């Protein structure tokens, strides 16, 4: 599905910022928790740093580049995956409910995440622009009318 829309660039930057922040917090916690075992502390911190490098510089960029979505007249398509590409099609008449949410950091960057649930499961799209999330919400929810 190469003709769909991709996530905004802010999504990629937030993913990487969260990954680096979480890694830093874990590194500091493990440093103090494993203070008595010097050798174990060094190996643990080294492996955690390696996992952070792989996540930030390999996995997150590939996940960002491989996530696309497309809103059609009768369905909503989402394609994502790093090692295995997964494409999900949700017919509009099968949508059960839609949740949109944002945390304080997302609100600051004017981003919103959306969860579309249907009979067979649900699809999450993280860090969409606020206007794009509202467009999807109003397009897939017949009970909502777009404000004028």
């Amino acid at each position: 599905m190469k003709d769909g829309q991709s996530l905004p660039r802010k999504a990629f930057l937030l993913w990487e910022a969260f990954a680096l922040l979480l890694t830093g917090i874990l590194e500091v916690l493990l440093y103090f928790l494993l203070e008595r075992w010097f050798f174990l502390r060094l190996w643990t911190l080294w492996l955690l740093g390696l996992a952070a490098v792989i996540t930030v510089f390999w996995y997150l960029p590939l996940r960002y580049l491989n996530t696309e979505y497309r809103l059609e007249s009768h369905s909503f398509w989402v394609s994502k995956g790093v090692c295995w590409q997964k494409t999900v099609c949700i017919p509009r008449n099968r949508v059960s409910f839609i949740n949109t949410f944002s945390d304080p950091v997302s609100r600051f960057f004017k981003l919103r995440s959306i969860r579309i649930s249907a009979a067979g499961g649900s699809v999450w799209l993280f860090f969409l622009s606020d206007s794009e999330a509202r467009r999807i919400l109003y397009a897939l929810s017949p009970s909502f009318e777009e404000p004028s």
Side-chain angles (χ1 to χ4, degrees), residues 7 11 29 38 75 84 94 101 107 114 125 134 146-147:
L7 298 176
L29 284 174
F38 180 75
S75 60
W84 291 273
R94 299 285 186 205
F101 53 93
R107 274 194 298 273
I114 191 167
L125 281 173
R134 284 195 177 120
E146 195 163 356

Side-chain angles (χ1 to χ4, degrees), residues 6-105:
S6 60
L7 298 176
R9 179 93 172 122
K10 291 179 189 177
F12 177 62
L13 297 175
L14 277 178
W15 277 346
E16 289 204 334
F18 281 141
L20 288 174
L21 181 67
L22 182 65
T23 302
I25 291 169
L26 285 175
E27 291 269 354
V28 169
L29 284 174
L30 286 174
Y31 179 81
F32 288 115
L33 289 175
L34 299 175
E35 191 170 339
R36 296 176 73 195
W37 301 290
F38 180 75
F39 186 72
L40 181 63
R41 178 179 60 185
L42 288 179
W43 275 102
T44 305
L45 295 177
W46 186 84
L47 288 174
L48 185 61
L50 180 65
V53 166
I54 290 171
T55 300
V56 170
F57 295 109
W58 180 76
Y59 177 76
L60 291 178
L62 285 178
R63 182 170 176 191
Y64 169 75
L65 291 173
N66 291 328
T67 301
E68 292 182 337
Y69 61 94
R70 186 173 60 216
L71 184 62
E72 293 181 346
S73 60
H74 296 291
S75 60
F76 182 73
W77 293 81
V78 176
S79 178
K80 59 184 171 180
V82 174
C83 296
W84 291 273
Q85 193 73 22
K86 179 181 178 181
T87 302
V88 177
C89 174
I90 300 176
R92 284 187 182 204
N93 60 352
R94 299 285 186 205
V95 173
S96 301
F97 63 91
I98 301 171
N99 291 346
T100 62
F101 53 93
S102 61
D103 54 48
V105 176

Side-chain angles (χ1 to χ4, degrees), residues 131-142:
S131 60
E132 185 66 16
R134 284 195 177 120
R135 184 181 76 86
I136 293 170
L137 173 70
Y138 295 134
L140 293 177
S141 310

